[in-house]
Amino acid sequence: MYGKLVLFHSVVRFNNYTVRHYQKKKTQRLLEFLADMPKPNTSRIMDAQRQRQQISKKAQNYVPSTIYLQVVGSGARGVPNTLYLFTDQKRYLFNCGESTQRLSHEHKVKLTRLDHIFITNKTWKNIGGLPGLSLTLQDVGVPNITLHGPEGLDELYKATKRFVIMKDMNVTLAPCSPSEDFVDNVMTVKYVLLRPENILKPGLNPAKKPKLSCDTTSAAYEEFIHDETDYYQSDIRNMEEKKNNNIKQKNKSPEKELTFSETVRKKAERALHELEGKSQCTVAYICTLKKRLGTLDLVKCVEKGVKPGPLLGQLKNGHDVILPDGTHVKSKDVKTPDDPGPVFIVLEVPDISYLTMDDFSSHYDNGVNPVENIPAVVVHFTPPHVFRHPIYRMFISKFGPTTHHLVLNEDNTCLGSEAVHRTQHRLHVLDADVFPLLRDASIPAMWKSQPPTEGTVGKANCLEELKNRIAFAQFQNIIRMEETNKDSTSECPETKYNFSTGRTLTMFHLRPKKCLDRSMEPKLHVLDYIKETMEVEGFSKSLEQYREIVSKMGSKKEMFKAEYPKVIFLGTGSCIPSKTRNTSAIVIQIDENRSMLLDCGEGTFGQLVRFFGPKRVNNFLRTLRAIYISHLHADHHMGLIGVLQARREAFSEQSRVPYEPVQLLAPGQIVTWLLLYDQQFESIREDYALITNQSLLEAKSNSLGTEMTPASLSRIGVQHIRTCLVAHCPNAFGVAIDVDGKHKITYSGDTIPCKELVTIGQNSTLLIHEATMEDELAEEARIKMHSTTSQAIHIGREMNAKYTVLTHFSQRYARLPRLSAHILHDNTSVGVAFDNMQIRMKDLELLPYMYAPLQLMFAEHCVELEVKAAHRARRRERGTGSPPPAGKHTHYSLPGDAPPATDVSTPAAPATTSDDSDKQLDSIDDVTVQTNDQCKIVETKMESS
């Protein structure tokens, strides 16, 4: 019932460690350490909430003058089908799938003004981005969010309450009833509940989901099912109370235990029975904008003899007036026409049996309904197979030729992100093998229409033109390989109706005018990306030096012809996704037919589609044998359900390949979340087979710990998998994977420096270690239970790892992390991870030599980091009264050295004076010189190589 566990029932020996990991002394010390940490200060959030409420009150008495719909996610495979309603007062969102937040951030779609989110259907495609977005909205001071949608939608927050903590924001579910509309100062929304016809007919109720039963399988997971761990809670008393409750639960008599289990079973049966119809309900929204009065034409008022005063207000409000001389002035003669308030409809019909045409009859263009009732636009989230159905086409035709139809579904191709292509094209200049071009050809590329000829340009320009032509040829090759069919929704037999496929930033204006606008849709400027890289001073020379090293190592690399194992980084950022770095996800391709995934942050499937292409991604998904989750923070596993569902679709595409569930290696507590989602949203229980990380702990004796069965390891294609507890949050793990006896890959997950990880990762070929912050922020990293760059490198040396790759960077290092000078002096084994970077084992020796050209490639970002570091040093000097070490802006130390003196309670710096500002501006040149000096350090090392 929790995935297919028959194969691995012998693997999961819960009795050996049911309470063991709560009783370990190291865990106890971790809890005490968490309890002593500074508690978060929410005063900033409360101030933001008060300011937001004041602005909202001022806007309540006005009808917005500018309103448009904007596509955030096109609904293509790998991106959400998300629609944004902008007004100059409020913002609204229709559906919120995975990566909604990332696309909004890139394209500057401000979600911080949201108050209401409308969901059409309770599927992951529509709600996968809600947990991550909610955390961000809470952090910026949004006090309340109201969800509109099918009943039970708010159960998502109950299911995720252990890792999506809503302490400063209230999330409520509006009662969506056909008899009660939603009304505010912007629009009136009528709810239309759509259910399949057979659920309304007696004797034809749909099959019930399997009931929750307390069989031997669920009994094995009972500790995890009833787990009450708060993964962001630093109060040790709550943890101690939980431990005591677990011990009491274990010591209960069998009779009481049976009674308790029966109670759980009955409650679950009752809940499932209530959700029978609700879970199959979708909600359509008929939205009518508030009427906006026309504006006064003061010139016409003067011509009519109307003097300044109250009469102008009456005319503006639509009332006719009589002047003192008896002249009758009509309001319509001195005003622009009133805007009656256009109508738009948003709907999703998952199956043709859900469609009831009578619910929309008052908005058909049938000659009876008033013109203002005819919708300006209908937005269809309806899947392609239903959209093409003749009955649905007939339904569309009833709205008449004046209604525009905007389609957001999987027939679309636009993945929406221009920033990932820009970064990848720039990195591709450095190394085409390590940074291959993405196979997402959905965004049109802009090229020069008339390139210069060799007879009209000099030799240097000819060389540059040759580079441009090569770039063009490479990109065209990608387009040919990934060429997809035209959007089928645009090729409709009913040519008299207006159909448009939605692309990211497609806009439909509703006020003051009504029209479709594609001017903001993203486009690629490939030559500009290459040009801005090559024009950076010093980059060309650094690139030549790097390529000389590559050529020297070429003969050595030819000795290692094996392409596998291969590591592909899909997400290298921390906490929230940015346009450059997505949240954590790493692919290990064991061989051509087997691969596994290390962590699975939100948007992981979208990253897979971009990297492998929409045609080839299914081939990869069929090779995916295992998914490892390091811990239960949202940025490490919120993409899991999306990958599970996509993997099932990939197998259904080829019936000759038998479907088998993926092996899910995760903290046992994840079963609570997966079980609740399966019961109340969509069935996923057959898509995974859970093997708990606790069962793979490194055994200290023969009686503790277990191993995966040989059959399980053989399916994945590895020889050995070991986990260890790391110091980050409760039930956080690191993992060491012995691939083939020659290559060992260790992954830290999130952690401060941890000896247990050193133990299981001894003599690794590759250590992938988190490096969230730079060395100067060691105290902040300690408070947040993360590692600095030097700490991660030191762990690699302690475990005798041949190479170390740093990942999981704070989003302040969106381009490149800041490494200390002593690392650059002696770096032969450390590399920096980027999204969409692939490395074979024979490529590892090149990674240390990339940092110098990368610093120059992202020179502006590096200078900005140095300026911030210098500013922090001055603040620290003012706060402590002692100057920093002479001749240095920063102080770096390895974990074995004494940490720098840092006071968490350091008072804020006083207001900056003009002298301070001048000094800061003067220091930019010094910092730039320091950055260039660091580049020279690495370049000198490269030349000596």
Side-chain angles (χ1 to χ4, degrees), residues 405-420:
H405 297 273
L406 185 61
V407 185
L408 303 180
N409 61 25
E410 288 192 355
D411 265 351
N412 296 345
T413 60
C414 180
L415 299 185
S417 177
E418 182 261 347
V420 295

Side-chain angles (χ1 to χ4, degrees), residues 806-819:
L806 307 179
T807 186
H808 195 269
F809 304 113
S810 167
Q811 296 296 359
R812 73 188 77 187
Y813 314 112
R815 297 285 187 268
L816 192 67
R818 184 170 178 260
L819 299 184

